[in-house]
């Protein structure tokens, strides 16, 4: 099976546990205002690679991936669902830890069987939660967040570990109330392991100029690491609040 590939990084250290090969798939239905890889949007761009091609690249550095594995991101990896299923199946059958880095935007309940096949061979999901308010999510990305919320619950129901990422953008996603609401939602996910808030940066703006695209956040400064740390702390408050209430014996006799 052939996938449409944007790029491949051989020594990733921030996209899952350990040292990893990170595969960037081509194509994305979102148009996030802060996206720093607009060159991944067009699904017709990129290059063709077979699963065997990718495995060959992995094998060259496999000794470095002993405590790591393969992470597939994008663009939006779920846009190439059949390829992703076969790729992860191939790697998992060879004992490799597989991580899916996704927004969940492509989730479709009518394809439940396919998504179950995918999660069966997925070791970890890194889920990008961009905005909890639906109207603001549409403004930020051009799409509703309903599928993302559904996907989060779907992954959790299938007992796959979840790491959550959120980009903190000054004037857009730097609202304490929104961070708390995200955390309160995340509290419902029993297999949530990590929350990581990332500070917005402007390193991708040059690509917009090269591609003749307007950068929507021109003039908005980068976020500080301290602001991102504050966001993480507030989200954790929301997680704890949800679990204190809904995981208590009063509401859930089987609560831990």
């Amino acid at each position: 099976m052939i996938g449409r590939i944007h790029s491949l990084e051989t020594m990733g250290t921030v996209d899952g546990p350990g040292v990893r090969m990170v595969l960037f798939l081509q194509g994305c239905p979102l148009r996030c205002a802060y996206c720093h890889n607009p060159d991944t949007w067009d699904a017709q761009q990129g290059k063709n690679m077979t699963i065997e091609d990718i495995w060959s690249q992995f094998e060259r550095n496999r000794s470095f991936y002993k405590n790591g594995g393969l992470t597939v991101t994008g663009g939006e990896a779920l846009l190439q669902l059949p390829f992703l299923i076969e790729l992860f199946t191939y790697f998992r059958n060879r004992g490799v830890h597989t991580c899916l880095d996704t927004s969940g935007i492509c989730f479709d309940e009518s394809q439940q069987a396919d998504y179950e096949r995918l999660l069966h061979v997925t070791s970890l999901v890194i889920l990008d939660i961009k905005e909890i308010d639906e109207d603001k999510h549409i403004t930020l990305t051009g799409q509703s967040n309903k599928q993302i919320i559904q996907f989060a619950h779907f992954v959790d129901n299938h007992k796959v570990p979840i790491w959550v990422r959120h980009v903190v953008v000054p004037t857009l996603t730097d609202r304490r109330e929104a961070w708390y609401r995200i955390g309160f939602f995340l509290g419902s996910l029993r297999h949530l392991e990590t929350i990581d808030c990332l500070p917005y940066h402007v390193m991708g703006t040059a690509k917009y100029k090269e591609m003749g695209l307007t950068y929507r956040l021109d003039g908005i400064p980068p976020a500080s690491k301290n602001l991102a740390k504050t966001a993480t702390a507030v989200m954790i408050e929301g997680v704890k609040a949800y679990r204190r209430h809904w995981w208590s014996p009063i509401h859930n006799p089987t609560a831990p």
Side-chain angles (χ1 to χ4, degrees):
M1 185 173 284
I2 294 174
R4 208 65 185 149
I5 311 302
H6 173 268
S7 57
L8 188 153
E9 180 182 340
T10 57
M11 294 291 167
T13 58
V14 295
D15 299 288
V19 178
R20 313 184 67 82
M21 186 171 83
V22 184
L23 189 68
F24 296 82
L25 300 192
Q26 188 71 32
C28 185
L30 295 176
R31 295 295 179 265
C32 300
Y34 55 76
C35 178
H36 58 274
N37 287 317
D39 47 331
T40 65
W41 292 349
D42 187 349
Q44 303 307 312
Q45 298 297 314
K47 60 182 178 181
N48 290 334
M49 290 185 73
T50 67
I51 291 172
E52 290 76 14
D53 292 334
I54 297 165
W55 177 255
S56 177
Q57 293 268 12
F58 186 87
E59 279 279 77
R60 294 177 190 175
N61 298 295
R62 190 167 188 182
S63 60
F64 293 99
Y65 305 138
K66 183 177 180 181
N67 297 313
L70 170 71
T71 295
V72 179
T73 181
E76 173 48 63
L78 294 179
L79 204 58
Q80 300 186 47
L81 182 59
F83 173 75
L84 185 59
I85 292 170
E86 295 304 319
L87 177 67
F88 273 12
T89 300
Y90 192 95
F91 274 69
R92 275 289 288 269
N93 286 345
R94 287 156 178 79
V96 177
H97 181 282
T98 55
C99 174
L100 169 63
D101 185 351
T102 178
S103 72
I105 191 64
C106 295
F107 181 66
D108 184 344
E109 287 184 305
S110 69
Q111 295 179 283
Q112 180 172 331
D114 288 333
Y115 278 97
E116 287 178 344
R117 287 180 59 206
L118 173 63
L119 293 182
H120 182 69
V121 290
T122 301
S123 309
L124 170 69
V125 169
I126 297 177
L127 184 61
D128 187 4
I129 300 290
K130 301 174 187 299
E131 171 61 67
I132 197 66
D133 180 274
E134 185 179 10
D135 290 339
K136 287 182 171 58
H137 193 278
I138 292 171
T139 300
L140 184 66
T141 72
Q143 300 275 358
S144 166
N145 62 359
K146 288 181 179 178
Q147 300 99 307
I148 296 169
I149 301 300
Q150 291 173 357
F151 181 71
H153 285 302
F154 188 83
V155 173
D156 191 54
N157 289 339
H158 286 79
K159 301 179 180 180
V160 178
I162 300 170
W163 293 7
V164 166
R165 284 180 175 168
H166 173 73
V167 179
V168 179
V169 186
T171 75
L172 283 182
T173 65
D174 61 348
R175 307 182 324 279
R176 188 180 185 91
E177 169 267 337
W179 298 335
Y180 188 87
R181 285 181 58 195
I182 291 173
F184 197 80
F185 161 67
L186 296 178
S188 68
L189 306 179
R190 290 183 175 271
H191 297 90
L192 173 73
E193 291 189 348
T194 300
I195 297 174
D196 187 15
C197 291
L198 306 175
Y200 163 73
H201 62 74
V202 296
M203 290 185 287
T205 55
K207 289 184 180 180
Y208 285 79
K209 294 180 181 178
E210 292 173 5
M211 297 174 65
L213 299 173
T214 300
Y215 187 63
R216 291 166 53 193
L217 303 187
D218 190 31
I220 293 181
S224 68
K225 291 183 179 180
N226 284 338
L227 184 63
K229 288 181 180 178
T230 299
T232 300
V234 174
M235 286 187 193
I236 291 173
E237 289 177 13
V239 170
K240 291 179 177 178
Y242 179 95
R243 293 180 176 179
R244 278 197 303 267
H245 184 70
W246 291 105
W247 288 19
S248 69
I250 295 175
H251 290 93
N252 183 2
T254 63

